[in-house]
Amino acid sequence: MGGRETSPHSHLVFDVYLKIFKETYAHSVEVLSQKKICGFVPKIVDLYTLQELKEKNFTLSDLETKEHDIELLLGADVIENILTGSSLKLSSGVTVVQTKFGYTVIGKTNTIYNNLCSNVVSLHCANFTVTDLWNLDAIGITNLTVDAKRKHAHSDFLNQFKENLSILPDGRYELPLPFKFETQLPNNKSATIKRHKRMCQRIDEQNQLNDYEVVFRQWEDQQIIEKVPETEIDNFRYYLPRRPVIKQASQTMKIRLVFDASARDKNQSSLNDCLNRGPNLIELIPDIIDKFRLYPIGLSSDIKKAFLQLCIIPEHGDYLRFFLPTVKETKIYRHCRVVFGICSSPFQLSACIDHLQENFPARFDDVTQNLKHWSYVDNCVTGVSDIQEQENFIVKAIEVMAKGCLNLRG
């Protein structure tokens, strides 16, 4: 297919705070100004569909209001955070989708008028071409002003985050969870324990529960997790559901524990909703791969169990509670280290590595600059010109990372 390159457009950038009336759920989004998005979305007029919605107790907010032009358009980067995952296909042909802000209806009805199917939801654009609509969706890619603004905001947040870091006597980093706004997380203990019991029963039926428990015992011995004291159990805190990912063929970790910080009840916030995830680090990969091909000798390494080497400040540990895997008694533990499955963990690791490299002696600059620009989360893919440079880089890189209790391995 052919195409053409469009010129950049300037837009004002606003932070919008969305909240449900009389509910605790809230979501902060960054939006761009646009003179005209599209016309109104027509209301449902099909009587059969309306009757079916009423019988199933679905309430739509726009049935009793006038039709207005669309004033806020949420893209794919936002919709994933507000969908609950619940939907129902009605016999009239449309699908009711639940979001944290209420129900919406998509699709088209089976009712035929004059040999035409009646669309329940359609997008009416008055003076917009298809190209204009694609420009709205690709705004983050083509708009240099927005890109510069985001980089500046991230730089400010990164500097603030580094100021809150502390270094323990053994050199290990201790850091807070990067909350982006104050909110009251719901008490999800009952929902989490139901999910926990189903998971333990399933693992026990597969004869893998003992192997699963061994991982947690090792973690407790290494002070990665700790048992919550009896005097603190009734304190209101947040619980993380989890599931094991089992890879029998793995040479390093046969069982990897994945915690679900995106779990939420209806119309409630999850832990991930409240945390700043930082920039999209995936964008670094193409540039790293391109530079990797410039050198005759390629080097690849990663940090062993990287997230587990970073400590969480004690006052945030209770946001990271979980139930120890057992089919008998219920034991409550909490994390003392950064958790795999929390959206901010890659950013936290990158920020700590960045801080470590910035504060190393100048004689290590050749290595620290290489690590800084050739790393993606816990992986480093770089290159050198000869064997002598390779040996020098490996020795210095291991020494740099070891100062922060990070084990760099090739």
Side-chain angles (χ1 to χ4, degrees), residues 14 43 68 105 107 151 168 188 196 245-246 251 275 281 325 346 354 372 406:
F14 299 91
K43 294 187 295 184
H68 298 281
V105 178
K151 288 181 178 179
L168 301 177
N188 67 339
H196 161 76
V245 176
I246 301 174
Q251 299 296 321
L275 296 177
L281 299 177
D354 196 42
K372 182 180 179 69
L406 301 173

XYZ file of all heavy atoms in Angstrom, residues 14 43 68 105 107 151 168 188 196 245-246 251 275 281 325 346 354 372 406:
155
model
N -3.243 18.644 28.155
C -3.950 18.804 29.422
C -3.925 17.496 30.210
O -3.963 16.409 29.621
C -5.414 19.220 29.192
C -5.583 20.528 28.478
C -5.673 20.558 27.096
C -5.642 21.711 29.189
C -5.832 21.760 26.420
C -5.792 22.919 28.522
C -5.893 22.948 27.138
N -28.101 7.721 19.800
C -28.618 6.891 20.886
C -29.319 5.649 20.323
O -29.651 5.587 19.147
C -29.607 7.699 21.731
C -28.970 8.860 22.472
C -29.942 9.519 23.421
C -31.085 10.179 22.684
N -31.977 10.907 23.605
N -24.994 15.102 21.878
C -23.979 16.152 21.836
C -22.759 15.639 21.082
O -22.530 14.429 20.978
C -23.562 16.566 23.249
C -24.680 17.136 24.071
N -25.127 18.433 23.936
C -25.448 16.576 25.045
C -26.119 18.652 24.789
N -26.339 17.539 25.478
N -22.429 0.212 24.684
C -22.966 -0.769 23.750
C -22.277 -0.609 22.409
O -22.155 0.510 21.890
C -24.495 -0.596 23.589
C -25.040 -1.589 22.584
C -25.186 -0.773 24.932
N -21.590 -2.613 18.312
C -22.116 -3.580 17.363
C -23.325 -3.044 16.618
O -23.594 -1.835 16.619
N 9.004 13.922 27.624
C 10.368 13.678 28.069
C 10.741 14.589 29.233
O 11.413 14.176 30.179
C 11.342 13.886 26.904
C 11.276 12.792 25.845
C 12.287 13.036 24.732
C 12.242 11.910 23.708
N 13.206 12.140 22.599
N 21.396 1.198 51.354
C 21.612 0.472 52.605
C 23.103 0.211 52.815
O 23.906 0.345 51.874
C 20.831 -0.838 52.577
C 19.308 -0.688 52.390
C 18.640 -2.049 52.305
C 18.703 0.137 53.507
N -9.258 -5.688 49.339
C -9.477 -6.805 48.419
C -9.084 -8.147 49.026
O -8.809 -9.101 48.297
C -8.695 -6.581 47.121
C -7.187 -6.627 47.342
O -6.692 -6.440 48.457
N -6.446 -6.880 46.281
N -6.702 -17.206 45.584
C -5.537 -17.928 46.118
C -5.864 -19.405 46.366
O -5.091 -20.295 46.001
C -5.088 -17.255 47.417
C -4.224 -18.102 48.289
N -2.896 -18.340 48.026
C -4.501 -18.788 49.434
C -2.386 -19.122 48.956
N -3.339 -19.410 49.818
N 4.346 -19.447 36.890
C 4.669 -19.793 35.507
C 5.757 -20.859 35.566
O 6.864 -20.596 36.026
C 5.157 -18.570 34.717
C 5.578 -18.973 33.309
C 4.059 -17.513 34.653
N 5.422 -22.071 35.148
C 6.310 -23.225 35.315
C 6.958 -23.559 33.974
O 6.273 -23.782 32.973
C 5.546 -24.441 35.858
C 4.912 -24.080 37.210
C 6.454 -25.649 35.983
C 4.002 -25.150 37.776
N 16.919 -23.466 32.681
C 18.152 -23.796 33.388
C 18.333 -22.963 34.650
O 19.152 -23.296 35.499
C 19.358 -23.560 32.451
C 19.339 -24.419 31.196
C 19.443 -25.905 31.505
O 20.189 -26.315 32.396
N 18.684 -26.716 30.776
N 0.031 3.644 40.173
C 1.487 3.773 40.088
C 1.914 4.400 38.770
O 1.296 4.197 37.731
C 2.149 2.402 40.238
C 1.959 1.706 41.585
C 2.600 0.325 41.554
C 2.548 2.531 42.718
N 9.789 1.676 27.735
C 11.175 1.260 27.530
C 11.351 0.403 26.282
O 12.474 0.244 25.792
C 11.673 0.490 28.764
C 11.669 1.274 30.080
C 12.125 0.380 31.231
C 12.563 2.496 29.983
N 1.426 -19.982 49.713
C 0.737 -21.117 49.084
C 0.624 -22.319 50.009
O 1.610 -22.926 50.381
C 1.626 -21.435 47.867
C 2.968 -20.928 48.236
C 2.720 -19.720 49.085
N 9.941 -2.148 36.077
C 11.013 -1.860 35.121
C 11.571 -0.451 35.266
O 12.789 -0.248 35.175
C 10.330 -2.060 33.761
C 9.218 -3.012 34.032
C 8.725 -2.649 35.405
N 20.600 3.650 36.673
C 21.035 4.971 36.207
C 21.730 5.734 37.333
O 22.784 6.344 37.130
C 19.814 5.738 35.696
C 20.197 6.927 34.844
O 21.113 6.793 34.024
O 19.571 7.993 34.989
N 24.747 2.548 30.217
C 23.617 3.472 30.270
C 22.841 3.499 28.953
O 21.609 3.544 28.950
C 24.133 4.881 30.597
C 23.053 5.950 30.723
C 23.667 7.286 31.055
C 22.623 8.380 31.157
N 21.764 8.212 32.334
N 24.006 -6.013 42.406
C 23.435 -6.528 41.172
C 24.454 -7.446 40.505
O 25.576 -7.035 40.212
C 23.052 -5.385 40.218
C 22.039 -4.385 40.779
C 21.863 -3.207 39.824
C 20.707 -5.043 41.057
